[in-house]
Coordinates of all heavy atoms in Angstrom, one line a residue:
A17 N -41.8 -123.6 -32.6 CA -41.0 -123.3 -33.8 C -40.5 -121.9 -33.9 O -39.8 -121.5 -34.8 CB -41.9 -123.6 -35.0
I18 N -40.9 -121.1 -32.9 CA -40.5 -119.7 -32.9 C -39.0 -119.5 -32.8 O -38.4 -118.7 -33.5 CB -41.2 -118.9 -31.8 CG1 -42.7 -118.9 -31.9 CG2 -40.7 -117.5 -31.7 CD1 -43.3 -118.3 -33.2
S19 N -38.4 -120.4 -32.1 CA -36.9 -120.3 -31.9 C -36.1 -120.6 -33.1 O -35.0 -120.2 -33.2 CB -36.5 -121.3 -30.8 OG -36.7 -122.6 -31.2
C20 N -36.8 -121.2 -34.1 CA -36.0 -121.5 -35.4 C -36.9 -121.0 -36.6 O -36.7 -121.6 -37.7 CB -35.7 -122.9 -35.5 SG -37.1 -124.0 -35.3
A21 N -37.7 -120.0 -36.4 CA -38.6 -119.6 -37.5 C -37.8 -119.2 -38.8 O -38.2 -119.6 -39.8 CB -39.4 -118.4 -37.0
L22 N -36.7 -118.5 -38.6 CA -36.0 -118.1 -39.8 C -35.4 -119.4 -40.5 O -35.4 -119.5 -41.7 CB -34.9 -117.1 -39.5 CG -35.4 -115.7 -39.2 CD1 -34.3 -114.8 -38.7 CD2 -36.0 -115.1 -40.5
D23 N -34.9 -120.3 -39.7 CA -34.3 -121.5 -40.3 C -35.4 -122.3 -41.1 O -35.1 -122.7 -42.2 CB -33.8 -122.5 -39.2 CG -32.6 -122.0 -38.5 OD1 -31.9 -121.1 -39.1 OD2 -32.3 -122.4 -37.4
L24 N -36.6 -122.3 -40.6 CA -37.7 -123.0 -41.3 C -38.1 -122.3 -42.5 O -38.4 -122.9 -43.6 CB -38.9 -123.2 -40.3 CG -38.6 -124.2 -39.1 CD1 -39.8 -124.1 -38.2 CD2 -38.3 -125.6 -39.6
V25 N -38.1 -121.0 -42.5 CA -38.5 -120.2 -43.6 C -37.5 -120.3 -44.7 O -37.8 -120.4 -45.9 CB -38.7 -118.7 -43.3 CG1 -38.7 -117.8 -44.5 CG2 -40.0 -118.5 -42.5
F26 N -36.2 -120.5 -44.4 CA -35.1 -120.6 -45.3 C -34.9 -122.1 -45.7 O -33.9 -122.4 -46.3 CB -33.8 -120.0 -44.9 CG -33.9 -118.5 -44.9 CD1 -33.8 -117.7 -43.8 CD2 -33.9 -117.8 -46.1 CE1 -33.9 -116.4 -43.8 CE2 -34.0 -116.5 -46.2 CZ -33.9 -115.7 -45.0
N27 N -35.8 -123.0 -45.2 CA -35.7 -124.4 -45.5 C -34.4 -125.1 -45.0 O -33.9 -126.0 -45.7 CB -35.9 -124.7 -47.0 CG -37.3 -124.3 -47.5 OD1 -38.3 -124.5 -46.8 ND2 -37.4 -123.7 -48.6
K28 N -33.9 -124.5 -43.9 CA -32.7 -125.1 -43.3 C -33.1 -126.3 -42.4 O -34.1 -126.1 -41.6 CB -31.9 -124.1 -42.6 CG -31.3 -123.0 -43.4 CD -30.5 -122.1 -42.6 CE -29.9 -120.9 -43.4 NZ -29.2 -120.0 -42.6
K29 N -32.4 -127.3 -42.4 CA -32.7 -128.4 -41.5 C -32.3 -128.0 -40.1 O -31.3 -127.4 -39.9 CB -31.9 -129.7 -41.9 CG -32.3 -130.3 -43.1 CD -31.6 -131.6 -43.4 CE -32.1 -132.3 -44.7 NZ -31.6 -133.6 -44.9
T30 N -33.2 -128.2 -39.2 CA -33.0 -127.8 -37.8 C -33.8 -128.7 -36.9 O -34.8 -129.3 -37.2 CB -33.5 -126.4 -37.6 OG1 -33.2 -126.0 -36.2 CG2 -34.9 -126.1 -37.9
T31 N -33.3 -128.8 -35.7 CA -34.0 -129.5 -34.6 C -34.2 -128.6 -33.4 O -34.5 -129.1 -32.3 CB -33.3 -130.8 -34.2 OG1 -32.0 -130.5 -33.7 CG2 -33.2 -131.8 -35.3
K32 N -34.0 -127.3 -33.6 CA -34.0 -126.3 -32.5 C -35.4 -126.4 -31.8 O -35.5 -126.2 -30.6 CB -33.8 -124.9 -33.0 CG -32.4 -124.7 -33.4 CD -32.2 -123.2 -33.9 CE -30.9 -123.0 -34.5 NZ -30.8 -121.6 -35.1
Y33 N -36.4 -126.6 -32.5 CA -37.8 -126.6 -32.0 C -38.0 -127.7 -31.0 O -38.8 -127.7 -30.1 CB -38.9 -126.6 -33.0 CG -38.7 -127.8 -34.0 CD1 -39.4 -129.0 -33.7 CD2 -38.0 -127.7 -35.2 CE1 -39.2 -130.1 -34.6 CE2 -37.8 -128.8 -36.0 CZ -38.5 -130.0 -35.7 OH -38.3 -131.0 -36.6
L34 N -37.1 -128.8 -31.1 CA -37.2 -129.9 -30.1 C -36.6 -129.5 -28.8 O -37.0 -130.1 -27.8 CB -36.5 -131.1 -30.7 CG -37.2 -131.7 -31.9 CD1 -36.3 -132.8 -32.5 CD2 -38.6 -132.2 -31.7
G35 N -35.8 -128.5 -28.7 CA -35.2 -128.1 -27.5 C -36.2 -127.6 -26.5 O -36.1 -128.0 -25.3
W36 N -37.2 -126.9 -26.9 CA -38.2 -126.4 -26.0 C -39.0 -127.5 -25.4 O -39.3 -127.6 -24.2 CB -39.1 -125.4 -26.8 CG -40.2 -124.9 -25.9 CD1 -40.2 -123.9 -25.1 CD2 -41.5 -125.6 -25.7 NE1 -41.4 -123.7 -24.4 CE2 -42.2 -124.8 -24.7 CE3 -42.1 -126.7 -26.2 CZ2 -43.5 -125.1 -24.3 CZ3 -43.4 -127.0 -25.7 CH2 -44.1 -126.2 -24.8
L37 N -39.4 -128.5 -26.3 CA -40.1 -129.6 -25.8 C -39.3 -130.4 -24.8 O -39.8 -130.9 -23.8 CB -40.5 -130.5 -27.0 CG -41.3 -131.8 -26.7 CD1 -42.6 -131.5 -26.0 CD2 -41.5 -132.6 -28.0
R38 N -38.0 -130.6 -25.1 CA -37.2 -131.4 -24.2 C -37.1 -130.7 -22.9 O -37.2 -131.4 -21.8 CB -35.8 -131.5 -24.9 CG -34.9 -132.6 -24.2 CD -33.6 -132.8 -24.9 NE -33.8 -133.1 -26.3 CZ -33.2 -132.3 -27.4 NH1 -32.5 -131.3 -27.1 NH2 -33.5 -132.7 -28.6
K39 N -36.9 -129.4 -22.8 CA -36.8 -128.7 -21.6 C -38.1 -128.8 -20.8 O -38.1 -128.9 -19.6 CB -36.5 -127.2 -21.8 CG -35.1 -127.0 -22.3 CD -34.8 -125.5 -22.5 CE -33.5 -125.2 -23.1 NZ -33.2 -123.8 -23.4
A40 N -39.2 -128.7 -21.5 CA -40.6 -128.7 -20.8 C -40.8 -130.1 -20.2 O -41.2 -130.2 -19.1 CB -41.7 -128.4 -21.8
V41 N -40.4 -131.2 -21.0 CA -40.6 -132.5 -20.5 C -39.7 -132.7 -19.3 O -40.1 -133.3 -18.2 CB -40.3 -133.6 -21.6 CG1 -40.2 -135.0 -21.0 CG2 -41.4 -133.5 -22.6
N42 N -38.4 -132.3 -19.3 CA -37.5 -132.4 -18.2 C -38.0 -131.7 -17.0 O -37.9 -132.2 -15.9 CB -36.1 -131.9 -18.6 CG -35.4 -132.9 -19.6 OD1 -35.8 -134.0 -19.7 ND2 -34.4 -132.4 -20.3
A43 N -38.5 -130.5 -17.2 CA -39.0 -129.7 -16.0 C -40.2 -130.4 -15.4 O -40.3 -130.5 -14.1 CB -39.5 -128.3 -16.5
L44 N -41.1 -131.0 -16.2 CA -42.2 -131.7 -15.6 C -41.8 -133.0 -14.9 O -42.2 -133.3 -13.7 CB -43.2 -132.1 -16.7 CG -44.0 -130.9 -17.3 CD1 -44.7 -131.4 -18.6 CD2 -44.9 -130.3 -16.3
T45 N -40.9 -133.7 -15.5 CA -40.4 -135.0 -14.8 C -39.6 -134.7 -13.6 O -39.7 -135.6 -12.7 CB -39.7 -135.9 -15.8 OG1 -38.5 -135.1 -16.4 CG2 -40.5 -136.4 -17.0
R46 N -38.9 -133.6 -13.5 CA -38.2 -133.3 -12.3 C -39.1 -133.1 -11.1 O -38.8 -133.3 -10.0 CB -37.4 -132.0 -12.5 CG -36.0 -132.2 -13.0 CD -35.1 -131.0 -12.8 NE -35.7 -129.8 -13.3 CZ -35.6 -129.3 -14.6 NH1 -35.0 -130.0 -15.5 NH2 -36.2 -128.2 -14.9
H47 N -40.4 -132.7 -11.4 CA -41.4 -132.5 -10.4 C -42.3 -133.7 -10.3 O -43.5 -133.5 -9.8 CB -42.1 -131.2 -10.6 CG -41.3 -130.0 -10.5 ND1 -40.8 -129.5 -9.3 CD2 -40.7 -129.2 -11.5 CE1 -40.1 -128.4 -9.6 NE2 -40.0 -128.2 -10.9
N48 N -41.9 -134.8 -10.7 CA -42.6 -136.1 -10.7 C -44.0 -136.0 -11.4 O -45.0 -136.6 -11.0 CB -42.9 -136.5 -9.2 CG -41.5 -136.9 -8.6 OD1 -40.7 -137.5 -9.2 ND2 -41.4 -136.5 -7.3
I49 N -44.0 -135.2 -12.5 CA -45.2 -135.1 -13.3 C -44.9 -135.9 -14.6 O -43.9 -135.6 -15.3 CB -45.5 -133.7 -13.7 CG1 -45.8 -132.9 -12.4 CG2 -46.7 -133.6 -14.6 CD1 -46.0 -131.4 -12.5
T50 N -45.7 -136.8 -15.0 CA -45.5 -137.6 -16.2 C -46.3 -136.9 -17.3 O -47.5 -136.9 -17.4 CB -46.1 -139.0 -16.1 OG1 -45.4 -139.6 -15.0 CG2 -45.8 -139.8 -17.3
P51 N -45.6 -136.3 -18.3 CA -46.2 -135.6 -19.4 C -46.8 -136.6 -20.4 O -46.3 -137.7 -20.6 CB -45.1 -134.8 -20.1 CG -43.9 -135.5 -19.7 CD -44.1 -136.2 -18.4
I52 N -47.9 -136.2 -21.0 CA -48.5 -137.0 -22.1 C -48.5 -136.1 -23.3 O -49.1 -135.1 -23.3 CB -50.0 -137.4 -21.7 CG1 -50.0 -138.3 -20.5 CG2 -50.6 -138.1 -22.9 CD1 -51.4 -138.6 -20.0
I53 N -47.8 -136.6 -24.3 CA -47.6 -135.8 -25.5 C -48.5 -136.4 -26.6 O -48.4 -137.6 -26.9 CB -46.1 -135.8 -25.9 CG1 -45.3 -135.2 -24.8 CG2 -45.9 -135.1 -27.2 CD1 -43.8 -135.4 -25.0
V54 N -49.3 -135.5 -27.2 CA -50.3 -135.9 -28.2 C -49.9 -135.2 -29.5 O -49.8 -134.0 -29.5 CB -51.7 -135.6 -27.8 CG1 -52.7 -135.9 -28.9 CG2 -52.1 -136.2 -26.5
F55 N -49.8 -136.0 -30.5 CA -49.5 -135.5 -31.8 C -50.8 -135.5 -32.6 O -51.5 -136.5 -32.7 CB -48.4 -136.3 -32.6 CG -47.1 -136.2 -31.9 CD1 -46.7 -137.2 -30.9 CD2 -46.2 -135.2 -32.1 CE1 -45.5 -137.1 -30.3 CE2 -45.0 -135.1 -31.5 CZ -44.6 -136.1 -30.6
D56 N -51.1 -134.4 -33.3 CA -52.3 -134.3 -34.1 C -52.3 -135.3 -35.2 O -51.3 -135.7 -35.7 CB -52.4 -132.9 -34.8 CG -52.8 -131.8 -33.8 OD1 -53.4 -132.1 -32.7 OD2 -52.6 -130.6 -34.1
G57 N -53.5 -135.7 -35.5 CA -53.7 -136.6 -36.6 C -53.9 -135.9 -37.9 O -53.5 -134.8 -38.1
D58 N -54.7 -136.5 -38.8 CA -54.9 -136.0 -40.1 C -55.8 -134.7 -40.1 O -56.5 -134.5 -39.1 CB -55.6 -137.0 -41.0 CG -55.4 -136.8 -42.5 OD1 -54.7 -135.8 -42.9 OD2 -55.9 -137.6 -43.3
R59 N -55.8 -133.9 -41.1 CA -56.7 -132.8 -41.2 C -58.2 -133.2 -41.2 O -58.5 -134.2 -41.8 CB -56.3 -131.9 -42.4 CG -54.9 -131.4 -42.3 CD -54.6 -130.6 -43.6 NE -53.2 -130.2 -43.6 CZ -52.8 -129.0 -43.3 NH1 -53.6 -128.1 -42.9 NH2 -51.5 -128.8 -43.3
L60 N -59.0 -132.3 -40.6 CA -60.4 -132.6 -40.6 C -61.1 -132.0 -41.9 O -60.9 -130.8 -42.1 CB -61.1 -132.1 -39.4 CG -60.6 -132.6 -38.0 CD1 -61.2 -131.9 -36.9 CD2 -60.9 -134.1 -38.0
P61 N -61.9 -132.8 -42.6 CA -62.6 -132.2 -43.8 C -63.4 -131.0 -43.5 O -63.5 -130.1 -44.3 CB -63.4 -133.4 -44.3 CG -62.8 -134.6 -43.7 CD -62.2 -134.2 -42.4
M62 N -64.0 -131.0 -42.3 CA -64.9 -129.8 -42.0 C -64.1 -128.5 -41.8 O -64.7 -127.5 -41.7 CB -65.7 -130.1 -40.7 CG -64.9 -130.2 -39.4 SD -65.9 -130.6 -38.0 CE -66.2 -132.3 -38.2
K63 N -62.8 -128.6 -41.6 CA -62.0 -127.4 -41.4 C -61.2 -127.1 -42.7 O -60.2 -126.3 -42.6 CB -61.0 -127.7 -40.2 CG -61.7 -127.7 -38.9 CD -60.8 -127.9 -37.7 CE -59.8 -126.7 -37.6 NZ -58.9 -126.8 -36.5
A64 N -61.5 -127.7 -43.8 CA -60.7 -127.5 -45.0 C -60.6 -126.0 -45.4 O -59.5 -125.6 -45.8 CB -61.3 -128.3 -46.2
N65 N -61.7 -125.3 -45.3 CA -61.6 -123.8 -45.7 C -60.7 -123.1 -44.7 O -59.9 -122.2 -45.2 CB -63.0 -123.2 -45.7 CG -63.9 -123.7 -46.8 OD1 -63.4 -124.1 -47.8 ND2 -65.2 -123.7 -46.7
E66 N -60.8 -123.4 -43.5 CA -60.0 -122.7 -42.5 C -58.5 -123.0 -42.7 O -57.6 -122.2 -42.6 CB -60.4 -123.1 -41.0 CG -59.6 -122.3 -40.0 CD -59.9 -120.8 -40.0 OE1 -60.9 -120.4 -40.4 OE2 -59.0 -120.1 -39.5
E67 N -58.2 -124.3 -42.9 CA -56.8 -124.7 -43.2 C -56.3 -124.1 -44.4 O -55.1 -123.7 -44.5 CB -56.8 -126.3 -43.3 CG -57.0 -127.0 -42.0 CD -55.9 -126.8 -41.0 OE1 -54.8 -126.4 -41.3 OE2 -56.2 -127.0 -39.8
H68 N -57.1 -123.9 -45.5 CA -56.7 -123.3 -46.7 C -56.3 -121.8 -46.4 O -55.3 -121.3 -46.9 CB -57.8 -123.3 -47.7 CG -57.4 -122.7 -49.0 ND1 -56.5 -123.2 -49.9 CD2 -57.9 -121.5 -49.6 CE1 -56.4 -122.4 -50.9 NE2 -57.2 -121.4 -50.8
K69 N -57.2 -121.1 -45.7 CA -56.9 -119.7 -45.3 C -55.6 -119.6 -44.5 O -54.8 -118.7 -44.8 CB -58.1 -119.1 -44.5 CG -59.4 -118.9 -45.2 CD -60.4 -118.4 -44.3 CE -61.8 -118.4 -44.9 NZ -62.8 -118.1 -43.9
R70 N -55.4 -120.5 -43.5 CA -54.2 -120.4 -42.7 C -53.0 -120.7 -43.6 O -52.0 -120.1 -43.4 CB -54.3 -121.5 -41.6 CG -55.3 -121.1 -40.5 CD -55.4 -122.1 -39.5 NE -56.4 -121.8 -38.5 CZ -56.8 -122.6 -37.5 NH1 -56.3 -123.8 -37.4 NH2 -57.8 -122.2 -36.7
G71 N -53.1 -121.6 -44.5 CA -52.0 -121.9 -45.4 C -51.6 -120.7 -46.2 O -50.4 -120.4 -46.4
E72 N -52.6 -120.0 -46.7 CA -52.4 -118.8 -47.5 C -51.7 -117.7 -46.6 O -50.8 -117.0 -47.1 CB -53.7 -118.2 -48.1 CG -54.2 -119.1 -49.3 CD -55.5 -118.5 -49.8 OE1 -56.2 -117.8 -49.1 OE2 -55.8 -118.9 -51.0
M73 N -52.2 -117.6 -45.4 CA -51.6 -116.6 -44.5 C -50.1 -116.9 -44.2 O -49.3 -116.0 -44.1 CB -52.4 -116.5 -43.2 CG -53.8 -115.8 -43.4 SD -54.9 -115.7 -42.0 CE -54.0 -116.0 -40.6
R74 N -49.9 -118.2 -44.0 CA -48.5 -118.6 -43.7 C -47.6 -118.4 -44.9 O -46.5 -117.9 -44.8 CB -48.4 -120.1 -43.3 CG -48.9 -120.3 -41.8 CD -48.6 -121.7 -41.4 NE -49.3 -122.7 -42.1 CZ -50.5 -123.2 -41.8 NH1 -51.2 -122.7 -40.8 NH2 -51.1 -124.1 -42.6
Q75 N -48.1 -118.7 -46.1 CA -47.3 -118.4 -47.3 C -47.0 -117.0 -47.5 O -45.9 -116.6 -47.8 CB -48.0 -119.0 -48.5 CG -47.3 -118.9 -49.8 CD -45.9 -119.6 -49.8 OE1 -45.7 -120.6 -49.2 NE2 -44.9 -118.9 -50.5
N76 N -48.0 -116.1 -47.3 CA -47.9 -114.7 -47.4 C -46.8 -114.2 -46.4 O -46.0 -113.4 -46.7 CB -49.2 -114.0 -47.1 CG -49.2 -112.5 -47.4 OD1 -48.3 -112.0 -48.1 ND2 -50.2 -111.8 -46.9
A77 N -46.9 -114.7 -45.2 CA -45.9 -114.3 -44.1 C -44.5 -114.7 -44.5 O -43.6 -114.0 -44.3 CB -46.3 -114.8 -42.8
K78 N -44.4 -115.9 -45.1 CA -43.1 -116.4 -45.5 C -42.5 -115.5 -46.6 O -41.3 -115.1 -46.5 CB -43.2 -117.8 -46.0 CG -41.9 -118.4 -46.5 CD -42.1 -119.9 -47.0 CE -40.7 -120.4 -47.4 NZ -40.8 -121.8 -47.8
E79 N -43.3 -115.1 -47.6 CA -42.9 -114.2 -48.6 C -42.4 -112.9 -48.0 O -41.4 -112.3 -48.4 CB -44.0 -114.0 -49.7 CG -44.2 -115.3 -50.5 CD -45.5 -115.2 -51.3 OE1 -46.1 -114.2 -51.4 OE2 -45.8 -116.3 -51.9
K80 N -43.2 -112.3 -47.1 CA -42.8 -111.1 -46.4 C -41.5 -111.2 -45.6 O -40.7 -110.3 -45.6 CB -43.9 -110.6 -45.5 CG -45.1 -110.0 -46.3 CD -46.2 -109.5 -45.4 CE -47.4 -109.0 -46.2 NZ -48.4 -108.4 -45.3
A81 N -41.3 -112.4 -45.0 CA -40.1 -112.6 -44.2 C -38.9 -112.6 -45.2 O -37.9 -112.0 -44.9 CB -40.2 -113.9 -43.5
L82 N -39.0 -113.3 -46.3 CA -37.9 -113.4 -47.2 C -37.6 -112.0 -47.8 O -36.4 -111.6 -48.0 CB -38.3 -114.4 -48.4 CG -38.4 -115.8 -47.9 CD1 -38.9 -116.7 -49.1 CD2 -37.0 -116.3 -47.5
E83 N -38.6 -111.2 -48.1 CA -38.4 -109.9 -48.6 C -37.8 -109.0 -47.6 O -36.9 -108.2 -47.9 CB -39.8 -109.3 -49.1 CG -39.6 -107.9 -49.8 CD -38.8 -108.0 -51.0 OE1 -38.8 -109.0 -51.7 OE2 -38.1 -107.0 -51.3
A84 N -38.2 -109.1 -46.4 CA -37.7 -108.3 -45.3 C -36.2 -108.6 -45.1 O -35.3 -107.7 -44.9 CB -38.4 -108.5 -44.0
W85 N -35.9 -109.9 -45.2 CA -34.5 -110.3 -45.0 C -33.6 -109.8 -46.2 O -32.5 -109.3 -45.9 CB -34.4 -111.9 -45.1 CG -33.0 -112.4 -44.8 CD1 -32.1 -112.7 -45.7 CD2 -32.4 -112.6 -43.5 NE1 -31.0 -113.2 -45.1 CE2 -31.1 -113.1 -43.8 CE3 -32.9 -112.5 -42.2 CZ2 -30.3 -113.5 -42.7 CZ3 -32.0 -112.8 -41.2 CH2 -30.8 -113.3 -41.4
K86 N -34.1 -109.8 -47.4 CA -33.4 -109.3 -48.5 C -33.1 -107.8 -48.4 O -32.1 -107.3 -48.8 CB -34.2 -109.5 -49.8 CG -34.2 -110.9 -50.3 CD -35.0 -111.0 -51.6 CE -35.2 -112.5 -52.0 NZ -36.1 -112.6 -53.1
T87 N -34.0 -107.0 -47.8 CA -33.8 -105.6 -47.6 C -33.1 -105.2 -46.3 O -32.9 -104.1 -46.0 CB -35.2 -104.9 -47.6 OG1 -36.0 -105.3 -46.5 CG2 -35.9 -105.1 -48.9
G88 N -32.6 -106.3 -45.6 CA -31.9 -106.0 -44.4 C -32.7 -105.8 -43.1 O -32.1 -105.4 -42.1
D89 N -34.0 -105.9 -43.2 CA -34.9 -105.7 -42.1 C -34.9 -107.0 -41.3 O -35.9 -107.8 -41.4 CB -36.2 -105.3 -42.6 CG -37.2 -105.1 -41.4 OD1 -36.8 -105.1 -40.2 OD2 -38.4 -104.8 -41.7
K90 N -33.9 -107.3 -40.4 CA -33.9 -108.5 -39.7 C -35.0 -108.7 -38.7 O -35.6 -109.8 -38.6 CB -32.6 -108.7 -38.9 CG -31.3 -108.5 -39.8 CD -31.2 -109.4 -40.9 CE -29.9 -109.2 -41.7 NZ -30.0 -109.5 -43.1
G91 N -35.4 -107.6 -38.1 CA -36.6 -107.6 -37.2 C -37.9 -108.0 -37.9 O -38.6 -108.8 -37.4
G92 N -38.1 -107.4 -39.0 CA -39.3 -107.7 -39.8 C -39.2 -109.1 -40.3 O -40.3 -109.8 -40.3
A93 N -38.0 -109.6 -40.7 CA -37.9 -111.0 -41.2 C -38.3 -111.9 -40.1 O -39.0 -112.9 -40.3 CB -36.5 -111.2 -41.7
Y94 N -37.8 -111.7 -38.9 CA -38.1 -112.6 -37.8 C -39.6 -112.5 -37.4 O -40.2 -113.6 -37.2 CB -37.3 -112.2 -36.5 CG -37.6 -113.1 -35.4 CD1 -37.0 -114.4 -35.3 CD2 -38.4 -112.7 -34.3 CE1 -37.3 -115.2 -34.2 CE2 -38.6 -113.5 -33.3 CZ -38.1 -114.8 -33.2 OH -38.4 -115.6 -32.2
K95 N -40.2 -111.3 -37.5 CA -41.6 -111.2 -37.2 C -42.4 -112.0 -38.1 O -43.3 -112.7 -37.7 CB -42.0 -109.7 -37.3 CG -43.5 -109.4 -37.2 CD -43.7 -108.0 -37.5 CE -45.2 -107.7 -37.8 NZ -45.5 -106.4 -38.2
Y96 N -42.2 -111.8 -39.4 CA -43.0 -112.5 -40.4 C -42.7 -114.0 -40.4 O -43.6 -114.9 -40.7 CB -42.8 -111.9 -41.8 CG -43.5 -110.6 -41.9 CD1 -42.8 -109.4 -42.1 CD2 -44.9 -110.5 -41.8 CE1 -43.4 -108.2 -42.2 CE2 -45.5 -109.3 -41.9 CZ -44.8 -108.1 -42.1 OH -45.4 -106.9 -42.2
A97 N -41.4 -114.4 -40.2 CA -41.1 -115.8 -40.1 C -41.8 -116.5 -39.0 O -42.3 -117.6 -39.2 CB -39.5 -116.0 -40.0
S98 N -41.9 -115.8 -37.9 CA -42.7 -116.4 -36.8 C -44.2 -116.6 -37.1 O -44.8 -117.5 -36.6 CB -42.6 -115.4 -35.6 OG -41.3 -115.3 -35.1
M99 N -44.7 -115.8 -38.0 CA -46.1 -115.9 -38.4 C -46.2 -117.0 -39.5 O -47.3 -117.5 -39.7 CB -46.6 -114.6 -39.0 CG -46.7 -113.5 -37.9 SD -46.9 -111.8 -38.6 CE -48.4 -112.0 -39.6
A100 N -45.1 -117.4 -40.1 CA -45.1 -118.3 -41.2 C -45.0 -119.8 -40.7 O -45.3 -120.7 -41.5 CB -44.0 -118.0 -42.2
V101 N -44.6 -120.0 -39.5 CA -44.4 -121.4 -39.0 C -45.5 -121.8 -38.0 O -46.2 -121.0 -37.5 CB -43.0 -121.6 -38.5 CG1 -42.0 -121.4 -39.6 CG2 -42.8 -120.7 -37.3

């Protein structure tokens, strides 16, 4: 999601993050390697506190990204957006 971090922070619809996955799968299959892609399931109750902390950190980073963008700090906006996704 790093390639489209700002798009995600600004709630823009994007499929850029799929490009990396597509390239990785193509590279593996070109070398006769069959990739197995696993998608995570539901959140684990035992990790609820950790997930809550991570959610707060992502929200904080998103707010910092938006503020950096407003002040013209594009590098800072990208840095924080990358931390928010």
Side-chain angles (χ1 to χ4, degrees):
I18 299 296
S19 65
C20 56
L22 286 171
D23 289 341
L24 294 172
V25 164
F26 287 113
N27 296 319
K28 293 182 182 177
K29 289 186 178 186
T30 183
T31 58
K32 290 179 187 176
Y33 56 91
L34 295 175
W36 179 88
L37 177 62
R38 194 175 306 124
K39 287 179 187 178
V41 168
N42 288 339
L44 291 169
T45 56
R46 272 195 310 274
H47 295 286
N48 296 319
I49 299 170
T50 303
I52 298 173
I53 301 169
V54 177
F55 295 93
D56 284 341
D58 203 2
R59 296 177 188 260
L60 298 174
M62 68 180 76
K63 290 180 66 180
N65 288 336
E66 184 64 28
E67 291 293 340
H68 180 72
K69 289 178 196 175
R70 289 178 183 173
E72 287 179 340
M73 288 175 16
R74 284 190 296 270
Q75 181 61 35
N76 187 20
K78 180 178 180 177
E79 291 168 5
K80 287 181 178 181
L82 294 171
E83 186 59 34
W85 184 266
K86 286 179 189 174
T87 62
D89 180 7
K90 307 301 183 212
Y94 181 76
K95 172 187 164 187
Y96 288 115
S98 297
M99 294 166 57
V101 294

